[in-house]
Amino acid sequence: MTLLKTVIAFVAVLAASLAAAQAGESIEMCGSAPYYPSEYTCYGDETPMLCPHVYGRPTYPCSGACYSPSMYQCCSGQLHLLPAQTGAFRLEVHSLDEQLHGRIAEVCNLQFHVGDEAETCVYCFNAPPQYVCSTYQNETVLLPSGSMSVDVPGGQYWYVDPNNGRLRTTAAGKAAGPERQLAGKNVTVYQEGYFSYDGSPFWLACKESGRGQLYGIFVPHLLDDHSNCVTIKLAAVPTTEPKEGAYSYT
Ligand SMILES: *[C@@H]1O[C@H](CO)[C@@H](O)[C@H](O)[C@H]1NC(C)=O
Ligand SMILES: *[C@@H]1O[C@H](CO)[C@@H](O)[C@H](O)[C@H]1NC(C)=O
C-alpha cells in the first residue's frame, strides 16, 4: 500500500470509527492500517487494501480504487458501468437508517412509499379467463421501460413528478393523462444495481406529515424542503414470477 492510500484509509477509519467504537467493536489491521470490520473490508494479501462499506454494503477494489457493485463492474482492472436492467424488478432501499435499510418500496395513492406503514394498494377487475384476480400477488413491481407490472388495458407507468421530485405512478389505464409521457424519464436502472436519476443513485425518503413511519421518495434536487428526509439509495431487485405484480395499482 502506498503512503498516500494508507493516510487516506487511516483518516477515513478515524472519521468513521465513532459508531463502531461505541458498539464495542475491536479494531483489526489491514497491512499497517487499522480498521473496524463493520465499516471496511480488507482485500488482498500482498498489498492489502481497505474498501469502505457504503450504506451498509461492501465496496470492492479495482486497480487501486473502491467501487460499488450496484453501479460498476471491474473487467481486467477497468471500471465499467453495469448494463441496464432488462426484466421486472422491485425497489430496495439502501440506507444508514436501520428503519429503512432493506425495505421494499410500495405504491399506494399512486405514490411510492417506504417504512413501517407502507403498503401496496391495488384494484382488480375479475374477468376470467383473461384476468383472474386471485392469481396476482399484488407486490409493487416495476419494468425498466417506465411501466408498472400490470395487466390493466392502457397500462400504468412510474415517473418522477417534475414539480416536487416525487416518485409516483400514473393513474391506471385510460386515466393516465399527460404524465404518461414522463414514464421512466431521466432514470437509468442498472442490472441488479442502482435505480439512478440523472446519473445519481441518491434519493430522499421524506416523512409524510402526520402519517407515522411512512416515507415518500423524492429526487433531492427537485425537492425544496429537505427537513424530515433521509438520504437513501434505491436498488433494483429482479423478480421472475409472472404474476408478482397487480392488475393495477391505486
Ligand atoms: C390481489 O388483489 C386482488 C384484488 O384486491 C385480490 O382479489 C387477490 O386475492 C389478491 N391476491 C392475493 C395473493 O392476495
Ligand atoms: C432530464 O434529462 C434531460 C436530458 O438529459 C434534462 O435536460 C432535464 O433537465 C432533466 N430533467 C430534470 C428534471 O432533471
Side-chain angles (χ1 to χ4, degrees):
M1 188 182 271
T2 66
L3 180 61
L4 181 63
K5 266 186 224 152
T6 309
V7 169
I8 290 171
F10 190 63
V11 169
V13 167
L14 284 183
S17 64
L18 195 58
Q22 280 165 351
E25 188 178 1
S26 57
I27 295 177
E28 293 188 11
M29 296 302 286
C30 185
S32 57
Y35 72 103
Y36 286 107
S38 66
E39 293 172 348
Y40 289 83
T41 302
C42 181
Y43 297 97
D45 297 329
E46 277 170 28
T47 51
M49 177 174 174
L50 285 173
C51 282
H53 299 180
V54 178
Y55 284 27
R57 303 279 164 147
T59 55
Y60 299 96
C62 186
S63 301
C66 297
Y67 72 95
S68 164
S70 295
M71 195 133 161
Y72 297 98
Q73 55 192 341
C74 183
C75 308
S76 318
Q78 290 214 314
L79 283 181
H80 297 278
L81 283 167
L82 290 175
Q85 172 75 21
T86 49
F89 62 95
R90 304 181 71 196
L91 276 181
E92 186 184 65
V93 174
H94 295 182
S95 173
L96 290 177
D97 186 323
E98 284 175 15
Q99 298 273 331
L100 296 178
H101 187 67
R103 298 266 184 178
I104 299 291
E106 306 204 60
V107 166
C108 193
N109 288 324
L110 308 183
Q111 301 174 339
F112 284 80
H113 292 120
V114 289
D116 259 357
E117 256 117 281
E119 55 176 342
T120 298
C121 301
V122 301
Y123 165 78
C124 185
F125 179 71
N126 203 47
Q130 206 176 357
Y131 308 123
V132 181
C133 289
S134 59
T135 59
Y136 297 100
Q137 289 182 37
N138 303 322
E139 306 287 353
T140 295
V141 178
L142 299 79
L143 299 173
S145 59
S147 288
M148 298 299 294
S149 176
V150 292
D151 279 345
V152 59
Q156 189 166 14
Y157 301 87
W158 55 265
Y159 71 100
V160 169
D161 186 335
N163 300 311
N164 61 4
R166 187 190 279 275
L167 181 63
R168 52 176 303 144
T169 75
T170 62
K174 296 196 186 87
E179 294 80 28
R180 194 191 148 143
Q181 282 157 26
L182 298 170
K185 274 250 171 80
N186 295 36
V187 174
T188 307
V189 191
Y190 294 103
Q191 194 178 332
E192 295 185 47
Y194 289 133
F195 185 78
S196 137
Y197 189 89
D198 272 352
S200 163
F202 294 104
W203 297 75
L204 293 174
C206 305
K207 265 198 173 153
E208 305 284 7
S209 61
R211 301 287 306 279
Q213 292 298 311
L214 188 71
Y215 296 76
I217 298 175
F218 297 85
V219 168
H221 75 268
L222 297 176
L223 181 70
D224 293 333
D225 182 5
H226 289 197
S227 51
N228 299 317
C229 298
V230 258
T231 305
I232 60 171
K233 292 182 183 180
L234 293 171
V237 180
T239 81
T240 47
E241 294 185 47
K243 292 286 184 187
E244 201 166 350
Y247 176 86
S248 70
Y249 299 94
T250 57

